[in-house]
Amino acid sequence: MVQTYLQQVRTLRNLEAAWRSVRENGKSSKSETVRHEIEAFDQDPSSNLRSMQQRLARGTFQFPPARGVPIPKPGKKDIRPIVLASVEPRIVQRAILNVLQGIPALQPFFINPYSFGGIKRQKDQKLAAVPAAIQAVLGAIAGGANYAICADISSFFTRISKSHVSEIIAKQVNDPAFMALYSDAIKVELNNLIELREKAERFPIEDLGVAQGNSLSPLLGNIILYDFDQKMNDGDCRCLRYIDDFIILGPTAAAVRAKLKLAKRLLERLGMSFALDKTSPDALPLTGPVEFLGIQLCPGLIRPTAKARTRLLTSLNEITEQSRKAFNGYNSGQTLKKSDALLARLIRRRSGIRWRM
């Protein structure tokens, strides 16, 4: 008997796979609350997952309100609105993502040669994410590109229409019960709106915007920009995108400028715009350095940008200083937590130490 998509979500095998992903990401979270929740769930994961499976089968599983965390953007007055859900909702969100990735009609959104962020690596691919994107850039240069323009979509996740993306998915998924669970999984309710005050309006609690922190959000971003990717790559230019960052490469300065104008029109139709401070003011000749995804590309040289190197060294200095203080406290008679050891801190912060800025 063929399982419905909703039944696939709640299989123990899928929930276990989702839990492994959530646990791996949660163990390296900067949030102490998240790490403690992961540790608590991991005390008896089998019983906890079976309980979730039963509630999903009965239709009684609930997505409780999450916590909104305003992360200041370095050097700016703006914030990054992160939504921290508890462990169980994150597991179900990941389980839904696993099912969506297996639906043939949705495969074009997961196997997109022009998009690299939030794309599942295929079995025949050696590289994924940023390394794959840089490889594609080098391929475009080898194919005759002489100029490039780098751009960034302003506040991308807060500009994605949940209903727009849901309509696209619903056309391919004939399972109303599954879509109801999916809709609950991308809905944003916060338990600390009063605490957030004026910052609360930056969080996607209405139709516009998806939660940064929800494993489904990168998929929603790739779905809403799928047509953008196809139209931007029609012709002699290549447009390669990593979530909200993209680079246009072409044979002439005029060609990449024309593509940037097209990108502006396509994004405006979606209610989006460029982040001017992260968008090249003009076409850049590839005879000189070009920076994309924290990588500096020069003729005969590929290396992390100066900002990325500084960020890495700063992070490492912070980690070693925190561990040094913990060990000094131990020498003074204080208890040394396992999580304060240098190796533990490095493992926990590895997801935050990235070349990409």
Side-chain angles (χ1 to χ4, degrees):
M1 182 177 177
V2 178
Q3 290 181 319
T4 65
Y5 296 131
L6 183 59
Q7 289 171 333
Q8 291 178 36
V9 169
R10 63 177 185 250
T11 63
L12 195 56
R13 181 177 181 179
N14 186 29
L15 291 174
E16 287 172 343
W19 159 238
R20 287 193 294 271
S21 296
V22 170
R23 179 178 58 186
E24 183 65 21
N25 292 329
K27 285 166 62 177
S28 60
S29 173
K30 295 181 181 179
S31 169
E32 187 173 357
T33 300
V34 170
R35 297 196 303 273
H36 286 168
E37 289 179 353
I38 293 293
E39 292 171 1
F41 194 95
D42 209 16
Q43 294 298 310
D44 191 358
S46 296
S47 295
N48 291 330
L49 291 173
R50 283 196 295 271
S51 172
M52 292 175 59
Q53 183 185 43
Q54 292 168 2
R55 280 175 280 150
L56 285 166
R58 293 194 299 263
T60 58
F61 182 86
Q62 299 290 322
F63 289 88
R67 180 174 180 78
V69 181
I71 304 296
K73 291 185 178 181
K76 299 181 180 179
K77 296 181 179 180
D78 198 6
I79 64 164
R80 191 180 301 279
I82 303 298
V83 177
L84 287 182
S86 52
V87 174
E88 287 193 350
R90 294 207 304 278
I91 293 173
V92 176
Q93 289 164 352
R94 181 70 199 195
I96 292 171
L97 177 63
N98 291 344
V99 172
L100 288 170
Q101 288 176 333
I103 298 175
L106 294 176
Q107 287 300 305
F109 300 112
F110 296 104
I111 307 175
N112 182 346
Y114 311 121
S115 175
F116 301 89
I119 298 292
K120 185 178 180 180
R121 187 176 69 172
Q122 303 303 304
K123 292 182 180 180
D124 59 342
Q125 288 182 309
K126 294 182 179 180
L127 298 177
V130 173
I134 298 302
Q135 183 183 59
V137 171
L138 295 176
I141 295 173
N146 296 311
Y147 288 85
I149 288 181
C150 299
D152 180 278
I153 302 173
S154 179
S155 303
F156 175 57
F157 285 109
T158 66
R159 308 307 302 170
I160 298 173
S161 168
K162 298 184 188 72
S163 59
H164 184 171
V165 178
S166 297
E167 288 175 5
I168 295 173
I169 294 177
K171 289 179 180 178
Q172 313 298 336
V173 178
N174 186 22
D175 191 335
F178 171 82
M179 288 304 300
L181 181 66
Y182 157 85
S183 296
D184 287 341
I186 64 171
K187 192 180 299 179
V188 177
E189 293 184 49
L190 301 178
N191 57 20
N192 62 329
L193 282 174
I194 295 178
E195 176 186 330
L196 291 170
R197 298 181 182 178
E198 69 278 358
K199 297 176 182 176
E201 63 183 22
R202 293 298 315 281
F203 288 81
I205 56 179
E206 303 296 339
D207 175 66
L208 192 61
V210 298
Q212 294 186 60
N214 187 329
S215 60
L216 288 162
S217 293
L219 167 63
L220 272 61
N222 280 320
I223 290 176
I224 204 165
L225 288 181
Y226 178 76
D227 285 341
F228 171 90
D229 292 334
Q230 306 312 305
K231 292 174 181 175
M232 287 294 294
N233 283 279
D234 182 18
D236 58 356
C237 290
R238 292 281 73 82
C239 178
L240 306 171
R241 181 175 59 81
Y242 191 99
I243 307 294
D244 54 353
D245 292 309
F246 61 92
I247 183 171
I248 302 170
L249 302 114
T252 66
V256 295
R257 290 188 194 115
K259 280 294 183 181
L260 186 68
K261 290 180 180 179
L262 174 61
K264 183 175 184 295
R265 294 196 299 271
L266 294 173
L267 291 175
E268 285 175 346
R269 295 173 189 173
L270 297 171
M272 301 178 185
S273 60
F274 299 139
L276 297 180
D277 60 327
K278 295 182 179 180
T279 299
S280 307
D282 199 0
L284 302 171
L286 291 171
T287 52
V290 173
E291 297 182 358
F292 182 56
L293 302 179
I295 301 295
Q296 186 182 69
L297 301 163
C298 298
L301 176 65
I302 303 174
R303 65 179 181 180
T305 63
K307 286 179 62 177
R309 298 196 300 271
T310 299
R311 183 184 180 188
L312 174 63
L313 292 175
T314 299
S315 296
L316 291 174
N317 287 336
E318 290 175 353
I319 291 170
T320 53
E321 178 62 19
Q322 290 165 353
S323 290
R324 185 188 66 79
K325 289 180 179 179
F327 276 103
N328 286 341
Y330 175 75
N331 291 332
S332 301
Q334 300 176 16
T335 301
L336 177 63
K337 297 180 181 178
K338 190 175 181 180
S339 59
D340 287 333
L342 178 59
L343 181 59
R345 287 184 178 275
L346 286 170
I347 293 173
R348 190 162 66 243
R349 289 286 294 275
R350 72 184 184 275
S351 64
I353 300 176
R354 308 180 292 181
W355 294 125
R356 190 176 171 222
M357 299 305 291

